[in-house]
Amino acid sequence: QKEVEQNSGPLSVPEGAIASLNCTYSDRGSQSFFWYRQYSGKSPELIMFIYSNGDKEDGRFTAQLNKASQYVSLLIRDSQPSDSATYLCAVLSGYSTLTFGKGTMLLVSP
Amino acid sequence: EAGVVQSPRYKIIEKKQPVAFWCNPISGHNTLYWYRQNLGQGPELLIRYENEEAVDDSQLPKDRFSAERLKGVDSTLKIQPAELGDSAVYLCASTPWGGSYEQYFGPGTRLTVT
């Protein structure tokens, strides 16, 4: 059973702070890793993906991958109240099959 | 470009009744997914289509769930008969092709079984 683990939260940070969201996965054969944002009552929206070990930056978002530790994280710099949402980690194993974690709820207070 | 379209957005039915959900993917997207998302959980794959072929239906409860994508475009997911535990959001997603991993989700159908 392929598993993706996330702390359910909520993770509370003040506006302007760095939010750090973490994810571990069980399948060493996993190839690609995705972060989705899901606002309450809405569908998931892809915000970042990473394939290689190291960091990948996109605006205020940085994804970090460590395949040896089976660990992927998402950093959100200068957090805004509009970033308040549930962040889903998803792992691609095999051909085109995503396994999602339960998500971490992020609350950014003004 | 229009996104993934799903209907209905909400559905309330009594247990043992049938229900059907419809999805129209983004134009040109050959790969279509149906997911189920329970409250407080991540989406779980039910079935994946490549054009009209169901290439991964290992997680589809085949005793009561069925799906079709006859012309390789829009798709229908059916539950018959529905059970209380089927209450969830049913999400449809699509990608341009199977090797493209960026899945675009529709707004979902929230099913409540009473």
Side-chain angles (χ1 to χ4, degrees), chain A residues 34 36 38 43 95-96 101-102, chain B residues 33 37 41-42 48 98 101 106:
Chain A
F34 302 81
Y36 283 80
Q38 187 171 28
S43 58
Y95 185 74
S96 201
K102 295 181 178 181
Chain B
Y33 309 79
Q37 186 173 23
Q41 306 290 316
R48 174 170 63 94
Y101 306 134

Side-chain angles (χ1 to χ4, degrees), chain B residues 53-108:
Chain B
E53 182 182 359
V55 295
D56 184 356
D57 63 355
S58 57
Q59 301 302 313
L60 189 72
K62 297 181 183 64
D63 57 336
R64 297 183 299 108
F65 287 65
S66 64
E68 61 183 14
R69 193 184 184 199
L70 294 176
K71 297 182 179 179
V73 180
D74 59 342
S75 176
T76 301
L77 177 68
K78 299 178 181 178
I79 308 175
Q80 182 171 11
E83 298 180 351
L84 295 176
D86 296 330
S87 295
V89 176
Y90 291 82
L91 294 162
C92 180
S94 69
T95 61
W97 50 286
S100 172
Y101 306 134
E102 300 176 42
Q103 298 186 16
Y104 298 88
F105 284 84

